Structures are given as structure tokens and as C-alpha cells.
Amino acid sequence: MSDELEELKQAFKADQQQHPAQAPREAAISAAMDAFDEKSAPARQGSDVWNRLKDTGNAVFHTIFGRRSMNATAPNLKPYLLGGVSLAVISLAVLNVEHLQLMTP
């Protein structure tokens, strides 16, 4: 078994790695870059005008998932929410006062 491994080691050591010549390599890279430039030259960068406009679906999505709307007519519901929570806390406190008075000796 070790003889076979030694033969393989010798075969790999004897086989030298071949590198391509520098001039053909540079010519191939240059040709590839020229072909890429020709292919991508007519394409403009950036978004099309219609893709950049904000449509109703995106506006609803961003409003639902936390993006603040800059629309001046959007209702501000914070005062109503705070009032409702305050009313709920006060009503729970009033209802629990009777239970607390019954529990005291």
C-alpha cells in the first residue's frame, strides 16, 4: 500500500504545474473586457421613470409597516388611542375599588 502511495507522490512531484503564457492571457482578458463594454454600453444605469414613481400599493405597504406618511390629510389617531387607554384604566380602577373595599376587614 505504501508503495502505491509513494508512486503517486512521485508522479505528482514530477508533474509540474503549467501556467499560460502572459501575452495570450492578457489578450484574452482584453477581448473579454471589450466584449463586455460593447454589450453593456447601450444600457443606461438607474431606474426607469415609471419604476421610480410611488404607486398606491407601495404607499399602503409602507404606511402599514411603519413608514410615516408625509400626507397632510392623514388622520392622527394618537389622541384617540391615548384617551381610550386612559378611559380603560380609570374604569378598571373604579370597578376594582369595590372589590378592594370588600376584602379589607
Side-chain angles (χ1 to χ4, degrees), residues 4-18:
E4 293 174 3
L5 289 177
E6 290 299 323
E7 288 177 17
L8 283 174
K9 285 182 185 178
Q10 293 299 324
F12 280 120
K13 285 181 184 177
D15 187 26
Q16 295 295 323
Q17 199 174 25
Q18 297 179 358

Side-chain angles (χ1 to χ4, degrees), residues 21-83:
Q22 193 66 16
R25 182 175 183 270
E26 288 177 2
I29 290 174
S30 177
M33 291 184 72
D34 290 340
F36 177 78
D37 288 339
E38 283 181 23
K39 182 179 178 183
S40 63
R44 294 182 296 160
Q45 290 184 349
S47 299
D48 191 18
V49 173
W50 295 109
N51 290 335
R52 295 182 67 190
L53 294 176
K54 185 177 181 183
D55 61 348
T56 306
N58 283 338
V60 170
F61 176 79
H62 290 300
T63 302
I64 290 173
F65 290 107
R67 182 171 175 221
R68 301 288 304 174
S69 175
M70 296 179 77
N71 188 357
T73 62
N76 187 4
L77 300 177
K78 279 185 183 177
Y80 300 114
L81 180 63
L82 291 174

